[in-house]
Structures are given as C-alpha cells and as structure tokens.
Amino acid sequence: MARFWSITAVALSLSALVLPVSAQNWSGGIGLGWAWQDVSGSESSFRSQSNLQPGFVLEELTLDYGNDGAWLNEFSLQAWGFGDAEPTETAHMKLGFAHAIDFSLRYDRRESLLGLAESDIGARSDEWDITRWKGVLSISAWEPLLAELIVRHVSREGTVFKGFYGLNELYPARIELDESMDEMAIRLVTKTLPVRLEFEQRWTNYERMNRRYPAGEEAVSGPDPDLLIDTGTEFTDKHDTPSSSLIASYSSENFEGAASVLWSEAELESSGTGWQSFAIGGGNIGTMEWVDQLVGSAQLDTLAANAYLAQHLGAGWILRLEGSYRDGATDSNLLGQRLFRSGNPTGSQLEFSTPIDDGSTYDYTDTHARLTLEVGGDTWAIWGGGFLTSREVAWQIGNDHDPFAEERDSDGLVVGGRWSPSSGFSGTLEFEQGTFENYIMRTDPKEVDRAVLKLRADLGKGWQFTAHGRHETSSNPEAIASLDHRSTPYGLTLGWTSAGGTAAAGLDLSRMALTTETGIILPDGSGSLSRYDLDLMTATLFGHVESDHVRFVASATRLEDSGGSWPMDAWNGSARLVFSGSGNIDYSAFVNYWSYDEHYASRDDFDVARYGLAIHWSFQ
C-alpha cells in the first residue's frame, strides 16, 4: 500500500501544480474493498494459480480533468489492484499539452508464487515480484509525422528454491534474483504519405546478478552419505541489444500490402565465479570442491522480414502472396579455468586446475512463402494455393565436436471456402497439408494435416451463436521417432442479450483433445514410448441483469481433464451484487469459489471460498 500512496501523492501533487482548481472540469471515482478467504487443502497450490489473499484491495481509482483551451488540456489517473488481497497493482497517468504533445506514465507490479507439492521439476518453489515502468512522450503537432520517445524499466526480485546436480544427485539451493532491463526507443510514424511508414530504433540493456546459496545439506532424492557444504555464484550477465525496425503498409481500391523488416545485433557478456563443495561420507572420507572462474561472450545477429500482398484482379478474383524470412547467427566463446580440490580428514589437500577455452556457433535461416488465388462474391468464396518452407541450420557445440549442417524443406497445398448467405450467418473452412524432407531434430514431423472451421450466426431476438474447430495431425516414420501427434480443439458459444442491454446470458463450451506419442531410447539402449494425453473439457455459464438501482453479475466454469497424463477436475464461480445508493455511491457484495482435484495425487488439491464487500463513490 505504501507504493500506492506514494504514486497517488506524486500524481496529485503534479496535477495541483499545473492544473486549475475549478471543480467543473474534474471527474473521477474511487472503489475500496475488503476480502475474506477460507481455504481448505493446499493454500500454496491455490496461490500458485491465483495468488489471491484476504485483505484490502483498491478496486478502482479514476481522476480526470479536461479543458480544451488550456496549455495543459488533459490529465487522467487510473489505478487498481493495490492492497494485500491482489497480486497485481497498476497505475496509469496521462498529461495532454497544447500543440499536440502528450506524456503518459504506466506502472505495474505483479507478485508470483509457485509452490506445488506434486511437481515434476523437483524441489522448486518461487516467490518473486516483477515491476514495470513505461513512459511515452508523444509529439504529433507536425502534420506529416508522429514522433514518440519511449522509455521502459523492468526489474525482478525475489527468491527461487530449486535443485542443482552435484555428485549425480539433486541438492537444494536458494537463488536470490536480481534482474533488470532498461530500454529506450524512438518511434516515427508518417501521417500524410500514401504509404504509411513506421520506423523504430530501440536500445535495450539487460543485466542479471542472481546469486545462489545452499538451502540444505542433504540430497533432495533422499538419504545420501554425501552432504552439501556450500554452493554459490557471483556471475554478472549483461546483454546489450540495439535493434531497428521498419513497417510499411499501403491500401487502395484494388491493392493492399504490408511489409516489415527488423535487424538487431545483441552482445552478451558474462563473468564471475561459481563453486560447490561436498562432504564425502558426511566428512568421514573427505571433501571435494569445484570452483569455476569464467568469462563468456556471445554475438547474436538477427534479420527478420515479413510481407503480405493482395491484388484484386476483377470479376471477384483475388491473388494473395504471403512471405517471411528470418536469419540468425550466434557465435559464443567461454574462457577460464576449473579448479578442483580434494581433502581428507587429516587436513591434507590435493588441488589442480584445468583451463577452459571453448566456443560454439549456431546459424539458421527460415523462409516461408504462401500463394493463394480466390474467387467469389458477397455471399461465397473459394480459394486454393500452395506454400513452400525451408529451414537451414548449422551448428558446432564446442571446439572438440564436429560441425552439423542440415536443410529441411517443405511444400504443401491450401484449399478453403467461405459461405455467407445472409448478414446474420457466415462460415469458413480451410484445409492445409504439408510434407517435409529431411530432419533436423528427430521429433520433426514428416507430414502435417490441418483443418480449421469457423461459424457465426445471428439467430434473431438477441441470440448469437459462434463455433470454431481445428484438427491437426503430424507424424514421422518409425525409423526416425515414430512421432504421432493429434490435436483437436473445438468449441461453441450461445449468447443472448436483451434489447436494452439490461440483461444477458450465455453458455460457452470448449474441448481440447491432444495426444502426442514419441519413440524414445532408454539409457540401457532399449526402445520405449513417451505419451502425453490431454482431454480438457470446459463449460462456462455467464450472465448479468440490472435495473435502475441493482446490478447482478455471475459466472460458473467447470473444467475436466480426462486425459491419461495428469487428469483433474476443477470448478470456479463468481457472483457480484451491486446496489446504487444516493450521492453517487455503489455498495457491492461479492463471492468467489474455486475447487481443484487431481486424480493421481492429493497434496495440491484445494477448495477456496472468497467473499467481500466494496464501496464505490464517483463525482462529476
């Protein structure tokens, strides 16, 4: 809350200094609430999904000023989320000056927690917050051009508990996060040229100084005679990335086109020391310690471009061309030494060092082109065409390994259609099939088939219906990885709205069925099958109704994953009742409910009821 009052005080002090006090130009409001919370089961699992807690919350703060004739003609302030009950807090301030000059400042902060008992990532838990600032100075007084200066700052602080491997075991460690990003950009946009041009020059600096400490002496997997004595890091990573981008777009009666290009040169530097030491046999046998003193650097160059062209040929014919190109080159080097110390219980030590002088490269080039020809009219259209893709890669991991290079090409066809017999109904269906040559990774597909369906219907009397579906399959031969991937997401929405908009209700249903099977090789050399199976059904009921003084909003959602990988059931619902009193004051009562149940485990299950009261006051 201290951050909220500090930000509000600065904004209000600024407005008091530069704005007239005349109340007739001001409007705004404030909403305050308090939430209670009852948790049954795993509170850390619930907070990992929502991070909601009981306590005070700022639901809304708005303050607006307008005076078209003044040198400072606009002031606005919006804020929400500050308080102990919400994981996020956001504030946005805008100042509008004469001569078409605007300044805006945005602040947001989010607290994140990860604390799952049943997890495949080992003994890991996160508790950190990320803070973002963004300032924009916009000048549009000059008729041909809009100019903007953009400044951003992002920082992340907190603690991560995770395991690290040593002596073939997983040991607990605590990571103290210290990460920041600073960025400045200049953006220019043309306003009067036939072709709209948007140019942006950006400079980004990223710095990371995370520090690792021991979080226990015993191995995570269970009793082990070797104990962790100490571990730590004192590395500093710095990334400097200047980038330039240009976007051009043009549209006329018979032609439309857009293109973009981006170029960046990233320089990465890292230096410092990392160490870990162990008591072998609890110290009865001796100690072992590794110390790495390293200096690393890398250069990453990226060129990316995209283009879209559409030409109306007449008589309902349209020719469309889409293309993309991306090229990246990475060259990294690592210098330093690894120091090894071994001691016995008598105090004698053995020490030796090994120099480190290594490097790696990774280059890739991706291209994609798609050409379609469409014919149709107002109520129907059909199209067909084809596409070509190519991916070239070349890498070398370490100076002692042989370089690798491969090119992977693909071609395919596209057919589709659209039917709109009336203004109240439209539907589209598109099918795409692609075949690839060669493999870069063993999980790359040989064939991919994809079909997409979309429907929309206005049923009359306030009823609306939409549906969407997608089916995709991909596979490769048994000799590669025996890949078999199937994905089928689909859903529909049925909604109703009253003529005056005072009442509405709806039902949203969706299903995501996904199965991936991949042949794998076990450490003993035998073959096996890795299977991931997701079958997620989601159903949501929602609605609202309001009168002159009362408004009621509610929704309920049911989720069920019946797939074989990690099945679960979940419910969540919310309801809010608002009563409008005298003096522009609204009184609210709200309730939320969550239920989460995993079928294969129970330590992360929870049932949570959250309820509260709020009051909103507005003036104008």
Side-chain angles (χ1 to χ4, degrees):
M1 281 302 296
R3 289 184 297 272
F4 163 67
W5 294 118
S6 299
I7 293 173
T8 304
V10 171
L12 294 179
S13 300
L14 179 61
S15 66
L17 289 174
V18 299
L19 294 173
V21 187
S22 174
Q24 64 184 7
N25 295 326
W26 290 87
S27 63
I30 186 170
L32 307 176
W34 189 275
W36 294 267
Q37 198 163 284
D38 295 328
V39 180
S40 174
S42 174
E43 183 175 5
S44 62
S45 176
F46 171 70
R47 290 189 57 195
S48 296
Q49 297 188 27
S50 66
N51 209 15
L52 294 170
Q53 299 184 77
F56 168 79
V57 61
L58 175 72
E59 292 200 331
E60 178 188 29
L61 171 66
T62 60
L63 190 61
D64 296 288
Y65 167 85
N67 189 345
D68 292 338
W71 68 276
L72 184 56
N73 51 58
E74 180 184 0
F75 170 84
S76 67
L77 173 67
Q78 295 92 35
W80 61 90
F82 291 82
D84 298 330
E86 296 283 341
T88 59
E89 51 191 39
T90 303
H92 181 263
M93 183 184 68
K94 181 181 179 181
L95 298 174
F97 298 89
H99 308 296
I101 299 176
D102 295 325
F103 173 75
S104 65
L105 180 64
R106 181 180 179 88
Y107 160 86
D108 68 82
R109 180 176 179 270
R110 179 175 180 85
E111 298 176 350
S112 178
L113 176 78
L114 174 65
L116 301 179
E118 306 288 351
S119 172
D120 59 355
I121 55 177
R124 172 166 181 157
S125 64
D126 296 10
E127 189 167 6
W128 47 263
D129 59 78
I130 184 168
T131 304
R132 303 179 182 90
W133 292 88
K134 181 180 180 180
V136 179
L137 177 63
S138 177
I139 303 174
S140 57
W142 190 32
E143 183 178 354
L145 195 68
L146 166 67
E148 289 184 340
L149 175 65
I150 305 169
V151 178
R152 296 176 62 214
H153 173 76
V154 180
S155 62
R156 188 169 78 123
E157 299 176 342
T159 304
V160 174
F161 290 92
K162 61 183 297 185
F164 75 96
Y165 280 96
L167 299 180
N168 294 322
E169 290 288 348
L170 191 65
Y171 287 89
R174 184 182 88 251
I175 313 297
E176 296 297 330
L177 302 178
D178 184 2
E179 302 174 355
S180 64
M181 188 273 290
D182 294 288
E183 186 174 79
M184 184 178 71
I186 297 175
R187 180 172 174 263
L188 304 174
V189 182
T190 61
K191 298 189 294 183
T192 58
L193 295 177
V195 178
R196 185 181 187 274
L197 300 176
E198 179 178 334
F199 173 78
E200 185 173 279
Q201 179 63 49
R202 190 177 295 267
W203 298 269
T204 306
N205 174 263
Y206 176 76
E207 187 170 278
R208 179 172 59 191
M209 294 186 294
N210 298 340
R211 297 293 181 258
R212 186 172 74 186
Y213 303 93
E217 62 178 14
E218 295 187 356
V220 174
S221 58
D224 188 277
D226 303 328
L227 304 179
L228 174 65
I229 299 176
D230 191 23
T231 183
T233 55
E234 293 181 350
F235 289 102
T236 298
D237 302 332
K238 295 182 179 181
H239 303 177
D240 293 316
T241 308
S243 61
S244 305
S245 65
L246 178 65
I247 301 174
S249 60
Y250 173 78
S251 178
S252 66
E253 182 178 357
N254 295 317
F255 177 82
E256 57 181 313
S260 66
V261 61
L262 178 142
W263 167 256
S264 69
E265 293 180 327
E267 296 182 356
L268 294 76
E269 297 180 355
S270 179
S271 61
T273 302
W275 64 91
Q276 51 186 275
S277 58
F278 300 89
I280 307 303
N284 296 323
I285 299 176
T287 61
M288 299 180 69
E289 181 182 14
W290 288 266
V291 180
D292 292 330
Q293 298 172 329
L294 302 172
V295 176
S297 64
Q299 178 81 26
L300 172 60
D301 299 334
T302 302
L303 174 64
N306 296 274
Y308 170 79
L309 305 174
Q311 177 66 54
H312 293 254
L313 305 176
W317 291 87
I318 304 174
L319 182 66
R320 290 188 173 91
L321 174 64
E322 302 174 47
S324 64
Y325 174 86
R326 187 176 181 91
D327 181 84
T330 304
D331 187 358
S332 60
N333 295 279
L334 185 65
L335 300 173
Q337 68 171 355
R338 166 162 285 186
L339 182 66
F340 172 75
R341 295 191 185 99
S342 177
N344 60 36
T346 65
S348 61
Q349 286 191 342
L350 173 67
E351 179 178 312
F352 62 89
S353 63
T354 302
I356 297 176
D357 184 359
D358 211 346
S360 63
T361 60
Y362 180 79
D363 303 333
Y364 71 92
T365 302
D366 291 340
T367 59
H368 172 79
R370 167 173 159 155
L371 179 68
T372 59
L373 183 62
E374 176 183 326
V375 61
D378 295 335
T379 60
W380 66 276
I382 57 173
W383 59 86
F387 63 87
L388 298 172
T389 65
S390 174
R391 180 173 179 84
E392 301 177 25
V393 297
W395 69 65
Q396 183 175 9
I397 304 176
N399 297 329
D400 298 332
H401 292 79
D402 295 331
F404 173 86
E406 185 62 87
E407 180 177 357
R408 174 174 164 85
D409 298 322
S410 171
D411 59 74
L413 59 88
V414 178
V415 293
R418 170 182 56 85
W419 184 46
S420 304
S422 65
S423 59
F425 177 85
S426 66
T428 61
L429 175 64
E430 183 175 275
F431 174 77
E432 181 178 307
Q433 183 182 59
T435 302
F436 294 83
E437 296 179 0
N438 302 330
Y439 301 92
I440 298 173
M441 304 294 181
R442 63 186 301 269
T443 54
D444 289 336
K446 170 68 175 178
E447 295 181 351
V448 176
D449 297 332
R450 183 182 300 116
V452 180
L453 173 67
K454 296 179 182 179
L455 298 174
R456 182 190 62 82
D458 185 350
L459 305 179
K461 297 183 178 181
W463 289 92
Q464 296 280 341
F465 173 80
T466 61
H468 62 87
R470 178 188 178 100
H471 180 70
E472 180 176 318
T473 63
S474 59
S475 61
N476 68 20
E478 183 177 356
I480 304 299
S482 191
L483 175 69
D484 184 7
H485 170 85
R486 300 178 299 278
S487 173
T488 310
Y490 59 89
L492 60 88
T493 300
L494 179 64
W496 169 82
T497 304
S498 65
T502 58
L507 171 66
D508 184 89
L509 299 173
S510 65
R511 182 189 181 194
M512 175 61 179
L514 185 150
T515 302
T516 298
E517 296 178 346
T518 308
I520 59 175
I521 301 175
L522 299 177
D524 62 2
S526 62
S528 185
L529 184 70
S530 172
R531 177 183 173 89
Y532 178 76
D533 183 20
L534 173 74
D535 192 350
L536 181 64
M537 288 287 297
T538 305
T540 300
L541 279 170
F542 55 91
H544 79 266
V545 61
E546 60 183 89
S547 63
D548 292 339
H549 299 287
V550 179
R551 183 169 68 255
F552 179 72
V553 182
S555 67
T557 299
R558 163 73 170 174
L559 296 94
E560 180 180 0
D561 181 4
S562 57
S565 294
W566 199 254
M568 65 85 187
D569 297 319
W571 281 93
N572 67 73
S574 65
R576 190 179 189 100
L577 179 65
V578 182
F579 173 75
S580 298
S582 60
N584 296 324
I585 299 179
D586 291 344
Y587 305 92
S588 302
F590 59 88
V591 61
N592 303 91
Y593 174 77
W594 295 266
S595 175
Y596 181 75
D597 178 26
E598 296 178 346
H599 294 190
Y600 292 161
S602 59
R603 292 191 297 169
D604 287 325
D605 297 348
F606 58 80
D607 291 278
V608 178
R610 178 181 171 87
Y611 44 92
L613 301 173
I615 182 172
H616 287 239
W617 171 71
S618 61
F619 69 93
Q620 191 166 349

